[in-house]
Amino acid sequence: MSKEYETVIGLEVHVELATKTKIFCGCSTAFGGEPNTHTCPVCTGMPGSLPVLNKQVLKYAIAVGLATNCEITRFSQFDRKNYFYPDNPQNYQISQLYMPICRDGHVEIENEAGETKKVRIHEIHMEEDAGKLTHDDFYDCTLVDYNRSGVPLIEIVSEPDMRSAEEVISYLETLRTTISYLGASDCKLNEGSMRADVNISVRPVGEKAFGTRTEMKNLNSFRAITHAIEGERARQIDLLESGEKVVQETRRWDDIKGESYPMRSKEDAQDYRYFPDPDLPPIEVSDELLEEIRAAKPEMRPEKMKRYKDEYDIPEYDIGIITSNKHLADLFEETTDVCKQPKKVSNWIMGEILRLMKETETDPENLVFSPENLAKLILLVEQKVINNNMAKSIFEKMFSEDFDPEKYVEEHGLKTVADDGALRKCIEQVLIDNPKSVEDFKAGKDKAIGFLVGQTMKAMKGKADPSAVNEMLRELMK
Ligand code: ADP
Ligand code: MG
Ligand code: ZN
């Protein structure tokens, strides 16, 4: 009979920090760009060049540490991690081994059962990213681009506290919201600004000792992470059930094939011959710097959710969605500031905006319309200058090109016709043209009115208030 197994998971999460320049030189961190144009002697590892720490990197790392309940190391330093690989021009990576900037933190996540659970953070350290290799099959060569070399990273190392793929996703989501609320990174898995290495082992339920773990790299979506955990759990259980051993190694998950294969045997710290980097002075975190970072901490998601509940009469579900992303929350607040219609703004976000974002695969930070113009559109409906359907069709345009909807309505003559006479004339014609529907309505088929409203709206080119049309139709058919 087979035993029950428990999955044990610990994560090493790399996050690219949102600084404008690299960690040890003034080169741009902008994504893309012609290969090797965002480079200088420092980030291409030229002999004789010297690194200088970008202070913003330290500030972001500390801010993330404070937000994840870490202890800040007041005196820390950088270490060299030595290894030879062409994406690493110095032949060492500047990282932190002995004195990471943050230690002993935790975040609270929500597990499948809806309970709150603590995931402990072992440490957070600062380091530099490597360059990027592209293997060119056609020319049978490998090309290297150092634009990413020296982009600042923090690595957040958790304790092995997670027990399922759901907990892992919840942990990553918590980190992502926390870090993006701080403005320290946009944390995009699919663009590589957040990368998770998943360490996983299994043990028979009830067993205290951990099993041997493997590490899976290269996971760039929640879907791939979930599949990889499920696949690796099954593989390890199979091995143990057939009396074999799990080998400690790094494996690569192939999400298309749905299986993992060994990449290399796991290195120990000693393989890297770490030693303190002699080119960089130790880092002393002063009381003033800590205070400055604490004081600059923005409102975080839990506080925001609570404030929305107190301040606005909108459903809790909507609050959850809107605050899940800082940019959406900003859009909500800035629009509401102008139009003072929180409920309407939330309806627009939950409805049209999310729908179009999904349809066009647009991320919240890439929305082009301004909160002011969205507010104007909402007010145009409130003041019955245009009806809801007209607003939706105008918004479809605003979604791809920001413009002032007041001017647009004016210029295109889209105002609802307030003149009762014109509407009456139009309805009279609709009634003449649709005798069958009139008959149906009079015979008690209330549904027929919907068709007549539709015909009238069409004849009015959308420039009528549907409820006024409905009312007048009923009156004229009495
Ligand atoms: P290394 O320095 O060799 O990478 P660490 O002790 O720093 O090893 O652990 C790396 C990651 O592996 C951490 O996130 C940790 O939580 C996780 N981990 C350690 N042991 C296990 C285990 N038995 N099962 C699952 N994850 C583990
Ligand atoms: Mg490690
Ligand atoms: Zn540089």
Side-chain angles (χ1 to χ4, degrees), residues 8-12 157-160 199-201 210-211 213 266:
V8 173
I9 308 161
L11 253 56
E12 291 160 286
V157 183
S158 85
E159 297 291 350
N199 295 273
I200 166 169
S201 63
F210 287 140
R213 74 177 194 267
K266 175 84 184 139

Side-chain angles (χ1 to χ4, degrees), residues 320-331:
I321 304 269
I322 292 170
T323 59
S324 69
N325 182 287
K326 175 78 166 33
H327 298 276
L328 273 189
D330 287 347
L331 173 65

Side-chain angles (χ1 to χ4, degrees), residues 424-444:
R424 180 177 291 260
K425 241 174 116 190
C426 175
I427 290 182
E428 279 167 358
Q429 192 57 46
V430 168
L431 294 179
I432 292 167
D433 293 346
N434 299 281
K436 179 79 178 60
S437 300
V438 176
E439 217 173 279
D440 286 351
F441 178 77
K442 287 188 173 163

